[in-house]
Amino acid sequence: MYIGLTGYLATGKGVIADFLKEKNFLYASLSDVVREKASALKLEHTRENLIKVGNDLRNKYGANYFAKKIAEKIATNNNKNWVIDGIRNPLEVKELQGLKDFYLVGITSSPGTIVKRVLSRKRDGDSITKEQIIEKLNIEKGENQPSDGQQVTKCIDMSDYLIVNEGTVEELNSKMKHFLNLINGEDRPNFNEIFMGLCYLWAERSTCLRRKVGAVIAKDSQQLTAGYNGAPRTLKHCKELGGCLREKLGIPSGQRHEICRGTHAEQNAITQAAKFGISIDGGTLYCTTHPCTICTKMIINAGIKKVIYDSDYNDPLSKQILGEQTALELIRYEGLRNPTILRK
């Protein structure tokens, strides 16, 4: 078994790696390749220097260069369990997915928690101001970075299992233990994992050319309605009309939602309830993506009490409204993101 780790600074990747080492996993890090090169160049191993060297190597040899090197290393011990740390680019993920029984675990924390941890640990090379930490975090996320550079957010979106680390070391290890038990068949998926798994499945019905989204509304551990994004009933899909209207007009993601032929997954789940006379008051809405502004207003007025979402969505007004309201609880999903691994 090969478990890859991807995540932002100070999210707990090292803690999980140590947890797996205690279970006799061998350890390898893509960063080792970078450190070796930095040493050869006689550069101090600061985060800034390592990021630059890493980007230079990816630019010269390809974004999957470090993953190839690590794959070559572990090939000599392929009958052992390995934990592979330091995955920061989607092509590294794709390279390692070529390994039999490879699973990617994503680890994330809120920016506030990351800042607090970095300021408290005071490691060599860590930033000393909030602004510098946020700047480094944005670099890791991939903002204004080349496609072959740091793209941790995209890697997290490719993960088989996601951990949101806002608590103690014991809680973090317990979440990792749950994943191992899922793989080994010792744990059943929890209800959040079941309903989000249904969201992923419904998203496969989407006809959107930009982003496939699925949503499920549940209450008392039962699914009530579901939806996916696409053109309203009886209307032609965008593909049939020669492409995405928003792409043709150059409208960025997260803006001008009204200029679109499609209905969002959350909207479809809510209108399905209206069509069939199903009460969703007090329910929980699961969605593969953070709701947009229009969906947010509908969700609040529909009486939904909790929204559990997976991937982020760049809609500042939606986040502002959700930050101001007190009608519902917004939770970042964590758990199994690739239900198919349970059938291996």
Side-chain angles (χ1 to χ4, degrees):
M1 180 192 305
Y2 304 95
I3 294 181
L5 303 179
T6 186
Y8 309 118
L9 73 162
T11 52
K13 299 186 297 298
V15 173
I16 292 179
D18 289 340
F19 173 79
L20 293 172
K21 288 177 191 176
E22 292 178 0
K23 296 186 176 298
N24 298 318
F25 278 71
L26 300 179
Y27 178 83
S29 173
L30 274 64
S31 299
D32 291 343
V33 181
V34 182
R35 292 188 180 93
E36 291 172 4
K37 182 64 175 179
S39 296
L41 295 172
K42 299 182 179 180
L43 294 174
E44 185 180 355
H45 289 189
T46 63
R47 184 177 290 271
E48 291 81 0
N49 285 342
L50 293 176
I51 288 175
K52 184 180 185 305
V53 171
N55 286 342
D56 289 344
L57 287 172
R58 289 189 186 97
N59 185 55
K60 184 175 181 179
Y61 299 108
N64 60 343
Y65 175 70
F66 308 135
K68 279 186 175 180
K69 288 294 185 181
I70 291 299
E72 292 171 2
K73 175 181 177 180
I74 63 181
T76 59
N77 287 284
N78 58 5
N79 60 334
K80 302 289 186 178
N81 290 329
W82 282 87
V83 52
I84 305 169
D85 198 2
I87 300 170
R88 296 182 174 88
N89 188 277
L91 289 182
E92 294 172 342
V93 177
K94 291 181 179 179
E95 182 71 30
L96 294 170
Q97 284 174 337
L99 297 170
K100 184 180 179 181
D101 294 328
F102 173 81
Y103 307 100
L104 182 65
V105 174
I107 309 100
T108 188
S109 303
S110 66
T113 297
I114 290 173
V115 169
K116 182 178 179 180
R117 286 177 183 152
V118 175
L119 289 174
S120 64
R121 71 187 185 182
K122 297 179 181 178
R123 290 182 184 173
D124 292 341
D126 275 346
S127 298
I128 58 173
T129 68
K130 176 182 177 180
E131 292 72 22
Q132 289 173 317
I133 298 168
I134 294 297
E135 182 180 358
K136 287 183 177 181
L137 177 59
N138 289 337
I139 290 174
E140 289 195 346
K141 287 182 177 180
E143 293 185 12
N144 300 317
Q145 299 302 301
S147 60
D148 58 358
Q150 301 229 12
Q151 298 287 342
V152 175
T153 296
K154 291 181 179 179
C155 292
I156 290 175
D157 285 342
M158 298 171 71
S159 63
D160 298 301
Y161 185 77
L162 179 65
I163 294 174
V164 178
N165 178 23
E166 297 287 340
T168 65
V169 170
E170 290 74 19
E171 290 170 335
L172 178 58
N173 287 340
S174 177
K175 293 174 182 180
M176 190 63 209
K177 181 180 179 182
H178 174 59
F179 177 60
L180 294 179
N181 287 343
L182 283 173
I183 295 174
N184 296 329
E186 297 176 15
D187 278 2
R188 295 185 297 169
N190 58 46
F191 280 109
N192 281 352
E193 290 170 322
I194 291 293
F195 291 129
M196 191 59 77
L198 291 172
C199 290
Y200 300 140
L201 189 59
W202 277 111
E204 294 303 313
R205 287 282 301 168
S206 170
T207 58
C208 180
L209 300 177
R210 267 191 169 184
R211 181 195 297 253
K212 293 181 180 293
V213 180
V216 165
I217 299 176
K219 188 176 180 180
D220 298 330
S221 302
Q222 295 294 324
Q223 177 179 326
L224 300 179
T225 65
Y228 54 88
N229 57 330
R233 62 181 66 241
T234 75
L235 295 184
K236 290 185 177 180
H237 303 303
C238 296
K239 186 177 181 180
E240 298 175 272
L241 296 175
C244 173
L245 175 63
R246 292 170 61 82
E247 290 286 353
K248 292 176 181 178
L249 296 176
I251 301 174
S253 178
Q255 300 179 22
R256 302 299 304 274
H257 304 291
E258 76 281 4
I259 303 180
C260 179
R261 290 181 60 82
T263 306
H264 287 190
E266 305 96 310
Q267 297 167 17
N268 277 327
I270 291 171
T271 55
Q272 285 295 303
K275 178 182 178 182
F276 293 107
I278 300 171
S279 174
I280 56 175
D281 187 43
T284 296
L285 185 142
Y286 295 83
C287 191
T288 56
T289 304
H290 187 287
C292 74
T293 300
I294 296 174
C295 289
T296 292
K297 292 182 286 187
M298 290 182 64
I299 290 167
I300 292 172
N301 283 347
I304 298 294
K305 293 300 181 184
K306 186 182 295 184
V307 172
I308 300 177
Y309 73 96
D310 190 356
S311 300
D312 196 14
Y313 184 60
N314 185 24
D315 187 339
L317 181 56
S318 169
K319 294 176 181 178
Q320 178 184 336
I321 292 172
L322 285 165
E324 294 173 355
Q325 60 81 41
T326 58
L328 61 81
E329 182 182 9
L330 181 70
I331 300 173
R332 174 68 190 269
Y333 172 72
E334 62 178 333
L336 191 63
R337 298 186 73 251
N338 180 10
T340 63
I341 67 178
L342 299 181
R343 298 192 287 271
K344 283 190 176 181

